[in-house]
Amino acid sequence: MAVGENEVQVGAQGRIVIPAGLRKALKLKPGDRLVARAVGESLVLERRETVEKRLRDRFRHISGDVRLAEELIAERRAEAAREDRER
């Protein structure tokens, strides 16, 4: 195990305890909410704000007046219409 890594154990109800040193280093306080996701065989815990910032940065190039959901629906409808014509 690399320096700075900590081993944790999964409890009977699936709970894990983040070691005190990591909580302190990451400035985690009781009540902080984290987003959990799987990346391959790894479990990643991130602050919600970090996830939101990453998503905002990822889609920053898209104009604010663009409605992605509406565009997706229009694309799906056009695709369905093409499939209907091909039948």
Side-chain angles (χ1 to χ4, degrees), residues 3 6 10 15 17-18 21 23 29-32 35-36 41 43 46 48-49 53 56 59-60 65-66 73 75-76 81:
V3 176
N6 295 269
V10 178
R15 294 186 174 127
V17 174
I18 301 170
R23 290 193 313 266
K29 300 176 296 302
D32 284 353
V35 176
E41 292 289 318
L43 171 65
E46 295 179 287
R48 182 176 193 87
E49 299 81 20
K53 181 184 181 317
R56 277 193 303 274
F59 295 105
R60 177 163 285 142
D65 60 341
V66 172
I73 291 168
E75 287 176 13
R76 299 292 184 205

Side-chain angles (χ1 to χ4, degrees), residues 44-80:
V44 176
L45 300 172
E46 295 179 287
R47 285 185 172 85
R48 182 176 193 87
E49 299 81 20
T50 302
V51 174
E52 289 171 354
K53 181 184 181 317
R54 185 174 59 249
L55 290 172
R56 277 193 303 274
D57 291 347
R58 181 176 180 184
F59 295 105
R60 177 163 285 142
H61 66 282
I62 299 173
S63 171
D65 60 341
V66 172
R67 301 289 176 245
L68 294 177
E70 292 171 12
E71 287 189 16
L72 178 60
I73 291 168
E75 287 176 13
R76 299 292 184 205
R77 286 182 177 151
E79 186 177 319

